[in-house]
Amino acid sequence: MSTTISHQELHIRDLRTLGPGDTVEALRHGDVHYRGRVEATAPDHGVVWVRDDSTGCRAMLHGNVYDVFLLRRAMAGLARAA
């Protein structure tokens, strides 16, 4: 899947800042490959899993392969960040 970027709110450089429920876009070479909610994280391994909004498929995103942008923080994420 490849579409043009719609919105870049916050470029995530450390996957430890993401949590389940956060909505992200994953870009590669400037094209959006995945957009959806984080389901699980393994930041020590440099990956997060998202459920892609357009396909419903689960995707594993490697932080060193994709540029990940936070679009919306889950309510639990707000409490975590505070």
Side-chain angles (χ1 to χ4, degrees):
M1 173 175 105
S2 181
T3 61
T4 33
I5 188 162
S6 64
H7 178 38
Q8 297 179 10
E9 185 173 312
L10 178 62
H11 189 190
I12 301 298
R13 298 189 194 287
D14 184 351
L15 296 179
R16 290 178 286 201
T17 62
L18 294 175
D22 289 340
T23 302
V24 297
E25 281 185 339
L27 283 75
R28 189 159 186 209
H29 305 296
D31 291 326
V32 176
H33 283 232
Y34 301 101
R35 179 181 297 121
R37 287 198 179 201
V38 173
E39 289 192 337
T41 65
D44 293 338
H45 299 288
V47 298
V48 297
W49 287 266
V50 300
R51 182 72 57 184
D52 187 66
D53 288 343
S54 65
T55 65
C57 293
R58 194 172 192 219
M60 181 171 62
L61 307 179
H62 293 268
N64 60 348
V65 174
Y66 293 98
D67 290 315
V68 179
F69 292 87
L70 178 67
L71 299 182
R72 191 174 66 235
R73 169 94 42 209
M75 292 306 288
L78 288 174
R80 185 177 62 247

